[in-house]
Amino acid sequence: MAMEDATEELLHLKLAFLAGEPPTCILALARKAGGGSITHVQHFLLENCTSTDKDSVLNRPDHIYKEISFLSSTRLVSMVARLSCSSNMLEGDTGCSLWPSSLFLSEFILSHPNVFSKKCCFELGSGVGLVGICLNYIGASKVILTDGDASTLTNMKENMELNNLCIEGENSKLAEESKNKVECKYLSWEEVSVSDLLGYQPDLVLGADIIYDPVCVPHLTRVLSMLLRRDHEQGETKERSGEEFATQGPVAYIATVVRNVDTFNCFVKAAADSKLSILNITSDAAPANFLPYMLSYDRSSVHLLRVTSLS
Ligand SMILES: C[S@@+](CC[C@H](N)C(=O)[O-])C[C@H]1O[C@@H](n2cnc3c(N)ncnc32)[C@H](O)[C@@H]1O
């Protein structure tokens, strides 16, 4: 094996460990790095992948600490997000776990920074907050993360702090001066009204893995149509020739895994009723693979939808 390949495989092994990949995936990478045998990388595993202090960063026995490292095409780590995630998949109405759609949406943002930089970005169902960390990294002018679950919101704010981001409204003096700030807002799709959103005129709306409960779908499409109304149009989103994914009016990018076709069809119908247009842009806008070491992440299962308002 060439020296460069061996180094890359060991890097993948270490990053997979830091990202909290399942043991089977770590072992598969260890075998690959060891040329088929784990014995050859035993020392490396002991030095790098048996640390017991990784989770103590959080001081929470029910949570695990993950470092998600995004590798650029030059094989260098371009960005690292530090996240506290629940060891119980259902905590916070699923919002304290990291889902593949947010990995995909993060790769999409990092692949097309020009689409998101200097834009006001508003996310629905933000969960652990990974997408917000990426938006801040590429230079969005404003990042608003929202969720309708209180414990998810608390965990999200802790994650912003883990990544040295200020939370607007909470440490207002620091946040005012800082470029690295996000707003974390309680927003329930069922409860939110037009007046709650009056101060928000996003250029871009984002969502990862938010289409999964048919009961919530009509509320979700109602919120989307409020946020995407063309009278919310801001200067930056007016059509500009030559710009990647040029737009007229606000646009939503939603990454989703279709686990249940009926639920997805229910979303398509509710969106049509709310005069929203949905385009599946998965193959046209496929993001670069920033997470080659993450064997548990099946990017082929994720669809990317571009949603705009027809009214
Ligand atoms: C499957 S998780 C996805 C979390 C994150 N976007 C990700 O991909 O890792 C769905 C998220 O949507 C939020 N959510 C679900 N129903 C909601 C509702 N009716 N109003 C607001 N947020 C909701 C949940 O609290 C949770 O954070």
Side-chain angles (χ1 to χ4, degrees), residues 220-234:
L220 173 62
T221 51
R222 187 180 67 89
V223 182
L224 280 172
S225 61
M226 287 196 280
L227 289 167
L228 295 176
R229 270 175 32 199
R230 294 231 184 157
D231 53 351
H232 277 187
E233 186 173 340
Q234 292 204 331

Side-chain angles (χ1 to χ4, degrees), residues 211-277:
I211 307 167
Y212 59 95
D213 182 349
V215 175
C216 295
V217 158
H219 304 287
L220 173 62
T221 51
R222 187 180 67 89
V223 182
L224 280 172
S225 61
M226 287 196 280
L227 289 167
L228 295 176
R229 270 175 32 199
R230 294 231 184 157
D231 53 351
H232 277 187
E233 186 173 340
Q234 292 204 331
E236 288 289 340
T237 44
K238 287 192 184 123
E239 194 151 29
R240 285 195 256 156
S241 56
E243 189 177 287
E244 251 179 321
F245 311 123
T247 57
Q248 233 169 8
V251 177
Y253 290 105
I254 298 185
T256 191
V257 172
V258 182
R259 298 191 184 85
N260 181 313
V261 177
D262 290 341
T263 304
F264 185 71
N265 289 341
C266 168
F267 173 74
V268 173
K269 179 169 181 327
D273 293 345
S274 300
K275 299 207 166 21
L276 295 174
S277 141

Side-chain angles (χ1 to χ4, degrees), residues 93-95 97 99 102 125 127 147-149 187-190 208-209 212 216:
D93 187 19
T94 70
S97 294
W99 297 87
S102 68
D147 209 281
D149 177 78
L187 188 148
S188 145
W189 309 333
E190 288 78 1
D209 222 330
Y212 59 95
C216 295

Side-chain angles (χ1 to χ4, degrees), residues 183-220:
E183 183 174 339
C184 298
K185 181 181 164 59
Y186 173 83
L187 188 148
S188 145
W189 309 333
E190 288 78 1
E191 295 164 31
V192 71
S193 66
V194 174
S195 60
D196 294 326
L197 295 175
L198 272 185
Y200 298 95
Q201 302 200 332
D203 299 304
L204 298 164
V205 178
L206 297 111
D209 222 330
I210 52 174
I211 307 167
Y212 59 95
D213 182 349
V215 175
C216 295
V217 158
H219 304 287
L220 173 62

